[in-house]
Amino acid sequence: MSNIKTRTLAAGSLLCASLLATVPAAAQVSLDSCRNMALRNNKTIRLAEEGIRGAGYEKKAAFAAYLPGIDFTGGYMYNQNQIELLAEDAKLPTMSFDPATQSFKYNILTTPDGTPIKDPSSGGLIPTEVAVIPKEAMSYDIHNVFAGAFTLTQPIFMGGMIKAMNDITHYAENAAVAMKNSAVQDVVFGVDQAYWTVVSLCEKKRLAESFVALVDSLDHNVQALLDEGMATRSDLLTVDVKLNEARIAQTKVENGLSLARMALAQLCGLPVHSQMVLADENGPSAAYQAAPVDVNMPDVYARRADLEVIRQSINILGGRERLALGAMLPKVAAVGMYSFSNPNVNHGFEKKFGGGFSVGATVTIPLWHWGQHYNHYRATKATTNAQRLMLEDLEEKVQLQVSQAQYSFDEAYKTYDMTLSNMEKAEENLRSAQLGYREGVLTTDDVIAAQTAWLAANSEKIDAQIGIRLCEVYLSKVLGTLY
């Protein structure tokens, strides 16, 4: 019996030491590598990059409004009738110069004494000579009309609306960049969480394997004692139940680890069944970083990408205010045009293309629109004020976030220190239980209880280690330094 219990103690010590065993370092993937893969393959980030590209094009389009615009307008029209200015030939009276009076006089029919003779039917004077304008001379063929014009328009003063549009597109581009930075932070935060979850489950998997081996060794020893008549059937059943529980827990950890690896691979843009060996699977390799004590909140506000999006939104709304104000101001533009048509009337009526230049200016002055533009201006101003209040509220929440993250970080450190102390006590308790069982003063239940306490202490230590890493990541995120 003494030899069997001695083997139990030796097996327990060996299995405790197995938690420090290392994983082969071949093809190891570091946290930075996971981050880079995720940033390259993440569709949200690629979508944000397309948003930046689109904002850049909008900025170029807004700048083009400063430059003159050249347009061409062309058209064709078929007319059923032609233009006939005369219904019949026109007969116009003529005039002759009278030297006696030094003036022109109509050539009209008169009596011998010079009295004009009137037409009995119309009552008008009867000319002696007429100038005939044929009807055909005043008829114009407009059945097929072609016309076109090249127009150049140069804005001179548009009420500040062009400047406002350029400012809006500039701020929109900045907002798109800030949205991408925010997406990058979210992706990195998600990858870090998934990475450390895999590391945690790797350690818990080794712990579960060690615990199964530990209970299995006890099961074999109790079976041997039962065969020698030094243990009861109840002792063996108790150990068997505990062994089954340990194996079930091991299966759950293995399944959870497989799912966690799949989640990490998906975040990295890899096939979900990709096999990756993480650089920290033996436990976090990098040293823990102390939480910053003094935090300059204005710097935090400046680094936070989500707050930058709100700030740029406020600038955009300010530009919209200026747009609304510009709608109430006069607009001045210079206009140049070359127009042509067929037929044309440049030199009489000709059935060929002809045209000419014209230059001028246009002025538009809004006079009365029943308060439409002014109310729109007030509405945009109210929206801007609401956005400023939202930014102030978010800054207050960010300050609370930073405080909570610092407290959580300090708590994680203290928890880790306590788990180290608990580990020492659990190992000493397990050693004492195994020694007491070997000496026959403790029962199988006592050994199982000590083993369970040892398992819980190890599990809490792993959780505390990973908790520090997760708190580091979260603190970096709320401080805006996670890239």
Side-chain angles (χ1 to χ4, degrees):
M1 176 178 177
S2 177
N3 290 337
I4 293 175
K5 292 184 177 180
T6 301
R7 287 197 303 271
T8 302
L9 178 61
S13 300
L14 179 61
L15 293 171
C16 290
S18 69
L19 290 175
L20 302 177
T22 60
V23 176
Q28 289 186 343
V29 181
S30 66
L31 177 59
D32 287 338
S33 297
C34 291
R35 287 179 174 181
N36 292 332
M37 286 188 290
L39 294 178
R40 284 196 304 268
N41 299 319
N42 185 266
K43 289 182 174 58
T44 301
I45 294 178
R46 291 165 63 183
L47 182 64
E49 290 173 347
E50 290 298 325
I52 294 174
R53 190 174 293 110
Y57 294 144
E58 291 289 346
K59 184 178 178 181
K60 292 180 180 179
F63 179 77
Y66 284 115
L67 306 177
I70 300 176
D71 301 289
F72 171 76
T73 303
Y76 164 79
M77 181 175 292
Y78 171 79
N79 297 293
Q80 178 182 4
N81 299 315
Q82 65 178 4
I83 294 178
E84 295 181 350
L85 298 182
L86 298 177
E88 58 185 12
D89 294 344
K91 300 178 178 62
L92 303 179
T94 61
M95 299 181 72
S96 299
F97 183 75
D98 185 357
T101 61
Q102 295 292 309
S103 63
F104 286 92
K105 292 184 179 180
Y106 282 102
N107 297 316
I108 57 176
L109 183 64
T110 60
T111 61
D113 59 359
T115 303
I117 300 174
K118 295 184 178 180
D119 186 353
S121 61
S122 64
L125 299 177
I126 301 174
T128 58
E129 295 180 0
V130 293
V132 178
I133 301 178
K135 173 183 176 181
E136 291 76 10
M138 300 301 290
S139 299
Y140 305 103
D141 181 6
I142 59 167
H143 290 303
N144 298 289
V145 178
F146 301 87
F150 290 94
T151 305
L152 183 146
T153 305
Q154 173 61 61
I156 297 175
F157 177 72
M158 294 288 112
M161 298 179 71
I162 297 179
K163 175 66 166 57
M165 277 302 304
N166 277 267
D167 291 342
I168 288 173
T169 55
H170 173 71
Y171 297 138
E173 186 177 34
N174 292 343
V177 173
M179 291 176 66
K180 179 196 172 183
N181 293 336
S182 179
V184 167
Q185 288 190 353
D186 291 340
V187 169
V188 171
F189 181 67
V191 169
D192 283 21
Q193 282 188 314
Y195 181 92
W196 292 118
T197 299
V198 172
V199 171
S200 172
L201 290 173
C202 283
E203 293 198 25
K204 288 191 174 182
K205 178 177 176 292
R206 291 194 295 273
L207 176 62
E209 291 171 349
S210 299
F211 185 67
V212 168
L214 185 63
V215 179
D216 186 61
S217 176
L218 178 62
D219 184 75
H220 282 85
N221 292 334
V222 173
Q223 181 65 52
L225 292 174
L226 179 62
D227 295 340
E228 295 178 5
M230 302 177 65
T232 65
R233 183 68 179 172
S234 177
D235 292 336
L236 181 61
L237 292 175
T238 300
V239 177
D240 285 343
V241 170
K242 194 64 180 179
L243 180 59
N244 289 336
E245 292 176 355
R247 286 173 176 164
I248 292 173
Q250 180 185 6
T251 301
K252 290 181 178 180
V253 171
E254 290 173 349
N255 291 340
L257 177 58
S258 298
L259 292 174
R261 288 188 187 278
M262 291 180 184
L264 178 60
Q266 190 272 333
L267 287 174
C268 293
L270 301 175
V272 292
H273 295 290
S274 299
Q275 296 298 322
M276 293 190 299
V277 178
L278 306 185
D280 293 294
E281 285 194 7
N282 290 333
S285 56
Y288 297 122
Q289 301 292 329
V293 178
D294 296 326
V295 176
N296 188 356
M297 291 308 300
D299 291 342
V300 174
Y301 299 149
R303 288 193 299 264
R304 287 287 294 259
D306 51 347
L307 297 184
E308 180 64 17
V309 173
I310 303 299
R311 285 192 290 268
Q312 295 302 328
S313 298
I314 293 174
N315 292 334
I316 291 173
L317 290 173
R320 290 181 178 176
E321 285 183 32
R322 294 191 294 276
L323 276 180
L325 180 62
M328 296 186 286
L329 301 178
K331 283 87 176 171
V332 181
V335 179
M337 179 185 298
Y338 178 80
S339 58
F340 57 91
S341 65
N342 180 7
N344 74 88
V345 292
N346 290 345
H347 302 287
F349 187 84
E350 297 178 307
K351 293 199 66 175
K352 63 180 182 180
F353 282 102
F357 289 98
S358 56
V359 178
T362 62
V363 178
T364 303
I365 303 175
L367 295 179
W368 184 255
H369 294 273
W370 304 100
Q372 175 187 2
H373 297 315
Y374 182 59
N375 287 325
H376 181 58
Y377 170 71
R378 290 196 297 182
T380 56
K381 199 172 186 65
T383 305
T384 305
N385 292 335
Q387 198 77 353
R388 288 196 180 97
L389 293 174
M390 180 187 295
L391 178 61
E392 293 176 4
D393 182 61
L394 288 177
E395 287 178 347
E396 293 175 359
K397 291 179 179 178
V398 166
Q399 187 172 9
L400 179 60
Q401 259 187 342
V402 172
S403 299
Q404 290 174 336
Q406 286 182 306
Y407 289 145
S408 298
F409 194 82
D410 293 338
E411 182 180 342
Y413 261 106
K414 294 176 182 178
T415 302
Y416 178 67
D417 291 338
M418 287 188 288
T419 58
L420 293 179
S421 176
N422 292 340
M423 270 290 301
E424 294 177 0
K425 295 176 182 178
E427 290 176 354
E428 177 61 25
N429 182 45
L430 178 59
R431 188 190 67 80
S432 299
Q434 290 173 334
L435 181 61
Y437 182 68
R438 185 185 63 187
E439 298 296 334
V441 297
L442 294 178
T443 65
T444 305
D445 291 336
D446 296 324
V447 176
I448 291 176
Q451 290 174 342
T452 303
W454 173 84
L455 175 66
N458 275 279
S459 181
E460 290 173 356
K461 176 176 173 290
I462 294 172
D463 290 339
Q465 285 178 313
I466 302 303
I468 291 178
R469 292 301 181 190
L470 294 178
C471 286
E472 282 181 342
V473 174
Y474 181 67
L475 182 58
S476 297
K477 185 176 186 296
V478 298
L479 291 177
T481 58
L482 183 62
Y483 287 102

